[in-house]
């Protein structure tokens, strides 16, 4: 049995936090590192880098990472335990547009992770100006009944430029049958020094349908664009809003290969619209603008990308 996907709304998160009594969890010494995988050692390193995972769940973790195993960050030595449940992160995958964290949760005293209770996960960064508004989606990938251990994936969009930020991860065990304010069974937290993959940033001098394309970021795992969205006055009934999330977007590679980025809706990580900032730190913050992010199906060699095509308009990336 698998649990339903959980996303904490701001209201639900606030209610959960109000109901939690402070706990001091046992915390062990930890280290975080990324295995640099060479092709000739791929099989050996892939197996050993994730050896900390429950053996029955190791295959599920590698399947979840898929072709992004080389870009992922194995995590060992972070363990926090309380109320008979041990929580330990085993891997992360991140760039400036997205963070994924894979977490094993083991019930040492029962089977509370077999679907009887909900698990919600929140990822926050110290530079966030509103981590809850970005939201964290979480889902159970696999459950090993013999060890009473579940493997979870938590994903949230990012919009901060710190090269390797420290992420705070909170795990909540919730009783869906409990009264509001009494649903939290457990609350665990830990920190991860994220090791983001290298990416390329572009500031193209281009317009799409008359609106400015401000910035493009491409990493091996995702694409993010900032673009003027055409809103002139959203309080007026005839304002013009551009839906970039549904426009065809492709990347052109040096060898002529075309990658269809926006073909699958499930690959879209984030689509937001923002008004001009009172104190803009970036050029795009002076305008109504959209930020849209997609995750790739396969790792992309960013050095080979030559152009981005948005709604039929080709923009060279130099």
């Amino acid at each position: 049995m698998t649990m339903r996907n959980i996303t904490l709304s701001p209201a639900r998160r606030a209610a959960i936090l109000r109901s939690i009594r402070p706990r001091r969890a046992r915390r062990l010494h930890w280290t975080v590192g990324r295995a640099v995988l060479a092709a000739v050692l791929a099989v050996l390193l892939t197996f050993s880098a994730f050896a900390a995972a429950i053996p029955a769940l190791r295959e599920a973790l590698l399947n979840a990472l898929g072709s992004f195993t080389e870009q992922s960050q194995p995590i060992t030595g972070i363990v926090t335990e309380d109320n008979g449940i041990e929580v330990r992160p085993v891997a992360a995958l991140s760039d400036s547009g997205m963070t994924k964290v894979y977490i094993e949760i083991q019930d040492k005293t029962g089977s509370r992770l077999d679907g009887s209770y909900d698990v919600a996960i929140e990822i926050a960064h110290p530079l966030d100006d509103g981590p809850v508004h970005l939201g964290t989606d979480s889902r159970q990938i696999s459950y090993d009944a013999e060890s009473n251990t579940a493997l979870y994936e938590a994903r949230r969009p990012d919009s901060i430029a710190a090269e390797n930020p420290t992420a705070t991860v909170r795990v909540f065990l919730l009783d869906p049958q409990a009264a509001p304010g009494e649903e939290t069974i457990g609350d665990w937290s830990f920190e991860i020094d994220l090791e983001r993959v290298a990416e390329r940033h572009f500031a193209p001098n281009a317009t799409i349908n008359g609106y400015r394309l401000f910035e493009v970021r491409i990493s091996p795992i995702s694409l993010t664009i900032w673009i003027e969205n055409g809103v002139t006055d959203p309080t007026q009934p005839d304002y013009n809003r551009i839906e970039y999330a549904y426009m065809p977007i492709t990347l052109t590679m040096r060898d002529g290969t075309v990658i269809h980025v926006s073909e699958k809706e499930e690959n879209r990580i984030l689509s937001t619209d923002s008004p001009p900032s009172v104190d803009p730190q970036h050029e795009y913050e002076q305008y109504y603008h959209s930020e849209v992010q997609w995750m790739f199906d396969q790792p992309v060699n960013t050095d080979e990308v030559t152009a981005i095509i948005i709604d039929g308009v080709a923009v060279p990336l130099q």
Side-chain angles (χ1 to χ4, degrees), residues 151-172:
L151 176 66
Y152 274 82
E153 176 191 81
R155 186 188 78 174
R156 62 156 274 176
D158 291 330
S159 58
I160 59 176
E163 183 176 349
N164 291 308
T166 298
T168 299
V169 182
R170 298 192 71 174
V171 178
F172 304 93

Side-chain angles (χ1 to χ4, degrees), residues 72-231:
S72 67
Q73 171 188 349
I75 302 172
T76 59
I78 304 178
V79 180
T80 180
E81 182 178 345
D82 189 40
N83 198 20
I85 290 181
E86 185 173 280
V87 175
R88 48 186 181 266
V90 292
L93 181 68
S94 65
D95 62 9
S96 68
M98 180 210 67
T99 294
K100 283 186 178 182
V101 178
Y102 295 88
I103 305 167
E104 286 184 353
I105 308 174
Q106 183 176 17
D107 189 347
K108 293 186 172 183
T109 61
S111 55
R112 288 169 286 182
L113 302 170
D114 65 356
S116 305
Y117 295 90
D118 289 336
V119 171
I121 303 173
E122 180 184 83
I123 305 172
H125 297 156
L127 298 182
D128 282 339
D129 54 7
V132 175
H133 298 294
L134 290 176
T136 302
D137 296 323
S138 58
R139 66 186 181 101
Q140 186 186 104
I141 295 174
S142 184
Y143 178 70
D144 176 49
E146 183 176 351
S147 63
N148 294 320
T149 305
L151 176 66
Y152 274 82
E153 176 191 81
R155 186 188 78 174
R156 62 156 274 176
D158 291 330
S159 58
I160 59 176
E163 183 176 349
N164 291 308
T166 298
T168 299
V169 182
R170 298 192 71 174
V171 178
F172 304 93
L173 184 64
L174 308 173
D175 182 354
Q177 305 301 321
E182 299 178 0
E183 57 187 346
T184 304
I185 306 301
D187 170 30
W188 300 261
S189 66
F190 53 86
E191 292 184 342
I192 300 174
D193 291 329
L194 294 174
E195 298 176 3
R196 287 178 162 173
V197 297
E199 57 187 53
R200 299 178 68 192
H201 294 191
F202 302 92
N205 182 19
T207 59
I208 308 296
N209 297 323
Y211 298 107
R212 298 182 61 187
L213 175 62
F214 296 108
E215 186 174 346
V216 176
R217 294 184 189 175
I218 307 176
S219 84
I221 63 178
S222 78
L223 165 72
T224 305
I225 65 171
W226 283 265
I227 189 166
E228 190 177 0
N229 67 15
V231 174

Side-chain angles (χ1 to χ4, degrees), residues 232-241:
T232 54
D233 185 352
T235 64
Q236 300 301 313
D238 59 346
Y239 79 91
N240 182 22
R241 179 178 180 274

